[in-house]
Every structure is written in C-alpha cells, then in structure tokens.
Amino acid sequence: MPRGRYALHDPHDHTPLGEEHFQCAPGPSGWRYVARTTTPSGVPAGSVDLAVDERGRPIRLELRTAHWQVRGAALDGVTWVRTDPAGAHATEGTVRAHAFTGTSPAFLVALSRLLRLTPDSPETRVRLVAFAGPSLAPLTTDQSWSLVNSETHATDNGPLVVDEYRVGDLSTGETHSVHLAGDVVLAAPGIELEELDTPPNTF
C-alpha cells in the first residue's frame, strides 16, 4: 500500500497550492485512494476519497474542503451532490460523462485505469466533470488521451514500468504529458511526487 506526499501548485504560474498526503491500494472492488490535503502553510484543507471498480469506473467519490463537500458516483453518466458541511445548501448534478477529475493525482490514475490504453490505441476522447478550487464548483470538460510511450526501468525493488500519456484540453488545444508508474503519478502539470515509502501497485 503506497503512502506518500504530493506537492501541488498552479500549473500556469507555479503558485504553491499545498500538499496531498495519500495512500492507495487495490481492493476487492477495484482500487481506492484516500488523502488529506493541506495549505502551503500546513493547515488542514480537506480530504479526498476515491474508489473505482475493476473497470475503472468511479463507484464512490468524496471530496471535502473547508466550506464544501462533494459526493459522487457513476450513475447514468456521473452523478454528484455538492453541499456545505451542515447540509443546508445542497445541489445535485448529473452529466453524461465518463468520470470525474480535479486537482488530485488520484483522478489521473483512475482515468488511466478506465481507458486502458496501449501504445497502439488511437487517441481517445473523454468527457469529465471537474471539481475545482476550495468551492468544488463543477465544470464539464472534454479531453483527449493517448499513451505515447511505455518504458521499463530497473530498480532495487524490481522492474518499474513508466507510462507517458499525452493529454489534450479540447476546448483550448493545449496538451501536456502525464507520467504514471502503476497507481502513482511521477510527474504531471501542477503535481510533484515528494515522498513515496513503498513501490507503486501494478494493475
């Protein structure tokens, strides 16, 4: 069960956004990722709890910040409820989308599991619902994903396969790379792996 720490920053101006202290592991139903987030000064900022089934579909999502929380799952696309902690202001949403996304590295791992791309796979378009910022405001976005390279590296713990994905934002035309090793993000815009105490899980 890998445990570690990601440093998060704004991918455009590199403003620090805080850290995500995580652990993740395969389970009976698929894969689960739990994390607590902190501000750049170390103050608790929220939490992430994402579980996907064997096919990579989100069966449970819980996001929390200081003033908002979201619970969601795959149901007729994806469905969620966004509310304040007291539950006084709740709104529901459903979108014909493939999965959720956001600032957490968990979403990149989960989406790679859902798509199951190979280097021979064509570029794949996905519709996602993103939850952004402290307000966790939902935003529907379209991306393209392709697996451009897969390399095996020798390590003290055995071979480590690193996959490089090209991800495109279909609304702006911008593209970037995401590097994954099993269920750990090695590098991606706005994400730096700072600590990892055990090797990644392989699917």
Side-chain angles (χ1 to χ4, degrees):
M1 179 183 293
R3 297 173 184 263
R5 175 172 58 89
Y6 292 109
L8 306 179
H9 59 265
D10 187 293
H12 301 291
D13 62 14
H14 301 287
T15 300
L17 299 178
E19 294 183 336
E20 191 160 304
H21 302 256
F22 73 95
Q23 63 185 63
C24 56
S29 61
W31 179 76
R32 187 180 180 194
Y33 176 103
V34 294
R36 56 182 179 85
T37 57
T38 59
T39 67
S41 60
V43 176
S47 62
V48 180
D49 189 342
L50 175 64
V52 300
D53 66 13
E54 292 182 350
R55 295 175 59 187
R57 297 172 301 186
I59 55 177
R60 186 182 68 255
L61 170 67
E62 292 188 10
L63 299 176
R64 295 178 185 269
T65 63
H67 302 292
W68 292 97
Q69 62 186 38
V70 166
R71 292 184 178 181
L75 182 66
D76 294 329
V78 293
T79 298
W80 68 92
V81 176
R82 174 178 173 269
T83 183
D84 61 297
H89 305 285
T91 56
E92 297 183 8
T94 299
V95 171
R96 288 287 184 182
H98 297 87
F100 299 108
T101 191
T103 56
S104 174
F107 295 113
L108 299 175
V109 176
L111 191 53
S112 72
R113 181 63 174 164
L114 177 69
L115 297 177
R116 299 173 185 260
L117 300 175
T118 70
D120 295 326
S121 299
E123 185 176 83
T124 301
R125 175 173 175 161
V126 288
R127 173 157 288 185
L128 307 169
V129 174
F131 295 104
S135 66
L136 298 178
L139 174 68
T140 302
T141 181
D142 292 307
Q143 294 182 349
S144 63
W145 277 63
S146 56
L147 179 58
V148 296
N149 194 27
S150 185
E151 294 184 346
T152 301
H153 300 266
T155 72
D156 293 339
N157 297 301
L160 181 69
V161 178
V162 178
D163 293 324
E164 178 186 356
Y165 294 87
R166 181 183 296 116
V167 181
D169 184 329
L170 296 181
S171 64
T172 65
E174 296 179 350
T175 61
H176 60 267
S177 294
V178 171
H179 292 82
L180 303 180
D183 58 356
V184 171
V185 178
L186 300 182
I191 298 169
E192 294 182 14
L193 180 64
E194 298 284 348
E195 294 179 4
L196 184 66
D197 65 357
T198 55
N201 295 301
T202 56
F203 290 112

